[in-house]
Amino acid sequence: MTASPTIGRARAALIPLFLISAGVVGYENALTRYFAVAKWSEYGYWVISIVMVGFALSGVVVALFRDPIARHGAWIRALSPAAMVIAAAAGYHYVTLNPFNPLQLQNATTWLPQIADIGLYYACLLPFFFLAGVYVSLSFVLNAGEIGRVYAYDLIGAGLGSAATLLLMFGLHPYLLMPVLLAPLAASALFQPGRGHGIGIAAAVVALLIGEGILFLDTPVPVNDFKALYAPLHTPGARVLDEVRSPRGDYVLADDFTERVDTDVSNDAGMLGLSGPPRTLGLYRDGNRIAAIPRAGPLDVGYAHASLDAAPYLLRPGPRVLLVGASGGYRIAEVLALGAAHVDALEPEPVLRSALLDGLDGSQRLTPSARVRVLAGGPVETAANAAPHSYDLIDISGDFLDAAEANETAFTAQAIADDLRALAPDGLVSIPVSIKDLPVYAVRMLATAREGLRLVGIADAPNHVVVYRSAWGVRILISPTAWSADRIAALKRFCDDRSFDVSYYPGVDVKAARAGIYNDLPQVSFTSGEITSVGPDDAVADEAGAVLAGRRTASEEAFNLSPITLDRPAFHAVLRLSHPDTLLNRLEILPQGEIGGLVNLAVLAQAIVFALLVLATPLLVIGRTRKTSGEPRAEVLRPVIYFSALGLGFLFLEIFLIEQVSVYLNDRTSAFALVLTGMLVFSGLGSLLAEQLKRWPHASVALAVVLALGWCAAMYWRGETAMMTTLDQPWGLRALIALAVTAPLSIALGLPFPLGLTRVGTGAMLPWVWGLNGAFSVVATPLANLVARQAGYSKLLIAAAVLYVIVAIAMPPAVRAGRGGDALP
């Protein structure tokens, strides 16, 4: 059958929507990368909030002024590309000039001006996202007969735009992405139909030239003075030797006199006749240091026997070692110097692994050795796939947690259980915990060790764990067999020789041990900031025995000490967000890793306020519209519930999938790209299917919800098991499996939104509920992260399932034909 001329023109009008959606999502991703490089990645949540606020606001405006906007739709579409190009370029320009400083936000005397600077981010970026939202809203209004097709072009364009932007990140610095991303916005003018076509093209060309001029004439953004890279680059003789571009980050190899091996060495190293850590190169990602890299020449690891990490090699001589994190090669050299018989060095971070095997410009690569094998998998995958009794020692490097976001899975209870299964009976797992910020991280890690032991059937955790420390770091040693008196005595001698402290061992007398403490670690009240202990103390020792025995401790009043698991993998999530007043009073001492939770809380609060405003604003005209529409209140309530639940549910499932695939692939960047692109593209295909099913909206939505609920149930009951049993497959095959799992859910999720839009008529309610969906998507992102952080991803999955049940129940009734169906509620 040949399409009618009207339908043909409508479809042609959707090509610019595809290009604009691609450009908008690319712009969003590029802004997120900008925040990671120029500020800290936690503040990228603001970008998501600003995007959805702009979209939601545009839906409200189009709803309130639907008729005049529709009358001038051809001109608005023709001139929108030029307006968006200027808004995008100018917005980014002023974002780079914003003096916002995250450190001052944590200072009680300097935080107020920073709030104003946050407001400036919204002022800079809202115009672009508002204009983009108006264009999308107008596309729905002017193509109301093909809602499914419009939504499909929008979603597929966004998905492919995200994928293209991530590919660009391999070759372009984050600050250079913006000039490229103006191109699809300007190119959309070529395909605009109707009046103003020629003027729109001319305006887009002029706007593109002005926009590119703004961006290319900008002064390069300097490294911020609160980034770790700032000070090294401002030392005499400092040089940047190499740079690597990747969606994972912007990597810089620096040569300056401040770079040293980041290891915990005894203050008594000189008395032991051992040298200190040598000078190195420093590898930084997004301005944050992730590893020391060897300079050209032989590695000097003379300090190894004086390091905190050395004790397990004394307790288990000549071990077969799984070394989790190579620390640029220094840890391999250290463990070989400590007598390891064989080393499997796991380095999942690709740039670090490349530096290790091939070297970077100016660095030393690993010397091949029959005693060393370099592995590339993830920590959970590697231990789970190891045969029983494969290793005598599994040693996690002290800088492994900070080397990549996905590395936190090595510190989960499931990873500890897999480590224990891979050990010989007299083997050890050695886990590092930094106590520079809060000693409670060590206490929570002990709770996690207890859970890991329980998973392998060991109930008496206190007999299988010892803890020793310096002033700044803790090592937790876990054994599949109970600790013997001889081993404990050997550990005490090791610590006494190096002025380290043994915080816990089976049978320890904590009070008696205080008399011999080398490194005082007093108990400090988080609420008041005051020291609560008298005389020399060890805050870790005070609670270690109780935590290992499963008893409550004093720290649980202020901190979350639940075990770290694959369901709740966030290592830096000890704060109880239910006490915001306490957190605000102690804001200046909070570790950077904990700030993400507070940022989510702040974004959630503003998102809820904004969602309520979007919900209420069109009702300001309720007196007028009720007279013309005659619609009962129920016909307002059900669309509100339906589209709000869709906004929340879709994002909940998207964030759940990103986290699960991150663990599965051991790479958050790849997981983000795969899930975001897959969900958007397959949801777009679902939307195209909705166009064919719009004759049976109730049945189609019910089917989509049933499929989504079935998927959620399968993931809840069998998802982790399926993931663990296929971890031994090649990375590429696992990526295909993840995409195959994403596809059916996404196709189902692509049905309810366009089918719901077909029920609300072609009038003002159409853009309003689209904006309402966007407003609750603003709420969804921080809320989902908070639910996952505090309660776990399984609870997030349950919440998503409940939301889709609500969607099925709240399916909007079809509006009556005529003027009433076109009115606002």
Side-chain angles (χ1 to χ4, degrees), residues 19 85 178-188 208 212:
L19 292 170
V85 167
M178 292 301 177
V180 177
L181 294 172
L182 296 184
L185 298 174
S188 67
L208 184 62
E212 299 291 5

Side-chain angles (χ1 to χ4, degrees), residues 23-214:
V24 168
V25 172
Y27 188 78
E28 178 185 354
N29 288 347
L31 282 170
T32 303
R33 286 293 303 127
Y34 167 81
F35 270 91
V37 176
K39 310 298 178 184
W40 281 317
S41 59
E42 291 87 349
Y43 296 93
Y45 289 118
W46 284 332
V47 176
I48 300 172
S49 176
I50 295 168
V51 173
M52 302 314 297
V53 165
F55 276 28
L57 183 61
S58 69
V60 171
V61 170
V62 175
L64 292 176
F65 305 99
R66 185 263 186 197
D67 290 341
I69 289 175
R71 280 198 304 270
H72 301 288
W75 281 105
I76 292 173
R77 285 188 297 176
L79 297 177
S80 285
M84 281 188 278
V85 167
I86 294 296
Y92 181 73
H93 168 74
Y94 286 109
V95 160
T96 63
L97 299 180
N98 193 324
F100 172 71
N101 186 328
L103 293 181
Q104 291 184 13
L105 193 62
Q106 291 183 247
N107 188 312
T109 61
T110 61
W111 68 271
L112 191 57
Q114 301 308 311
I115 299 299
D117 289 338
I118 293 171
L120 287 176
Y121 283 130
Y122 282 80
C124 295
L125 297 174
L126 262 180
F128 170 73
F129 292 112
F130 173 78
L131 290 171
V134 167
Y135 191 94
V136 178
S137 292
L138 188 58
S139 297
F140 281 119
V141 169
L142 297 181
N143 297 279
E146 287 199 316
I147 292 292
R149 195 174 300 279
V150 174
Y151 194 46
Y153 273 70
D154 180 31
L155 291 177
I156 295 173
L160 296 180
S162 176
T165 305
L166 287 163
L167 290 174
L168 287 172
M169 290 180 191
F170 281 105
L172 292 178
H173 190 282
Y175 298 164
L176 297 178
L177 287 170
M178 292 301 177
V180 177
L181 294 172
L182 296 184
L185 298 174
S188 67
L190 297 172
F191 304 96
Q192 299 290 350
R195 289 174 296 169
H197 175 68
I199 294 175
I201 292 176
V205 171
V206 172
L208 184 62
L209 293 174
I210 294 172
E212 299 291 5
I214 291 172

Side-chain angles (χ1 to χ4, degrees), residues 341-382:
H342 181 83
V343 181
D344 279 349
L346 175 64
E347 187 51 83
E349 214 289 340
V351 175
L352 271 176
R353 187 170 63 254
S354 176
L356 182 68
L357 296 176
D358 304 319
L360 297 172
D361 192 0
S363 73
Q364 176 70 37
R365 71 177 195 172
L366 178 70
T367 302
S369 169
R371 296 167 62 193
V372 178
R373 182 174 59 156
V374 177
L375 307 179
V380 175
E381 164 197 349
T382 302

Side-chain angles (χ1 to χ4, degrees), residues 413 416-418 420-421 449-461 464 479-481:
I416 292 173
D418 287 332
L420 289 167
R421 295 186 187 103
R450 180 176 182 270
E451 177 64 12
L453 286 163
R454 186 194 66 79
L455 290 175
V456 294
I458 298 175
D460 58 334
H464 292 260
S479 174
T481 56

Side-chain angles (χ1 to χ4, degrees), residues 375-395:
L375 307 179
V380 175
E381 164 197 349
T382 302
N385 293 334
H389 304 174
S390 295
Y391 300 105
D392 304 305
L393 173 60
I394 296 179
D395 182 0

Side-chain angles (χ1 to χ4, degrees), residues 432-654:
V433 184
S434 171
I435 54 174
K436 294 177 183 178
D437 295 315
L438 295 172
V440 74
Y441 289 121
V443 179
R444 189 183 184 213
M445 198 66 232
L446 287 171
T448 305
R450 180 176 182 270
E451 177 64 12
L453 286 163
R454 186 194 66 79
L455 290 175
V456 294
I458 298 175
D460 58 334
N463 290 321
H464 292 260
V465 176
V466 300
V467 183
Y468 68 105
R469 67 175 182 86
S470 67
W472 309 110
V474 165
R475 276 278 167 177
I476 299 171
L477 303 183
I478 310 171
S479 174
T481 56
W483 281 80
S484 66
D486 289 343
R487 265 193 165 183
I488 293 170
L491 178 64
K492 288 182 178 179
R493 288 194 298 272
F494 171 89
C495 290
D496 284 337
D497 290 343
R498 294 159 179 79
S499 298
F500 296 142
D501 295 293
V502 184
S503 295
Y504 175 81
Y505 55 87
V508 63
D509 185 336
V510 175
K511 291 184 179 179
R514 286 177 178 170
I517 287 177
Y518 296 104
N519 305 282
D520 189 25
L521 186 64
Q523 287 279 6
V524 180
S525 168
F526 184 74
T527 303
S528 67
E530 297 177 353
I531 296 175
T532 58
S533 55
V534 178
D537 198 6
D538 186 335
V540 175
D542 291 343
E543 298 189 273
V547 170
L548 288 170
R551 300 194 301 270
R552 290 185 61 84
T553 68
S555 291
E556 288 191 71
E557 295 297 322
F559 300 107
N560 172 22
L561 299 185
S562 58
I564 304 166
T565 65
L566 290 178
D567 189 48
R568 282 182 294 184
F571 186 92
H572 295 102
V574 299
L575 298 183
R576 292 196 180 277
L577 299 181
S578 56
H579 300 87
D581 53 338
T582 301
L583 298 181
L584 291 175
N585 289 334
R586 309 298 294 149
L587 194 61
E588 73 281 358
I589 68 164
L590 294 184
Q592 181 57 36
E594 299 287 346
I595 295 298
L598 290 181
V599 173
N600 270 288
L601 203 60
V603 172
L604 176 61
Q606 79 162 30
I608 290 173
V609 172
F610 182 77
L612 293 175
L613 289 174
V614 171
L615 179 61
T617 299
L619 301 181
L620 295 175
V621 293
I622 192 169
R624 173 177 60 82
T625 56
R626 285 256 180 234
K627 292 178 182 179
T628 59
S629 69
E631 294 182 64
R633 186 176 299 274
E635 293 184 359
V636 177
L637 182 61
R638 287 169 67 180
V640 165
I641 294 173
Y642 183 86
F643 288 99
S644 301
L646 280 178
L648 292 168
F650 189 96
L651 265 295
F652 277 21
L653 288 173
E654 182 179 283

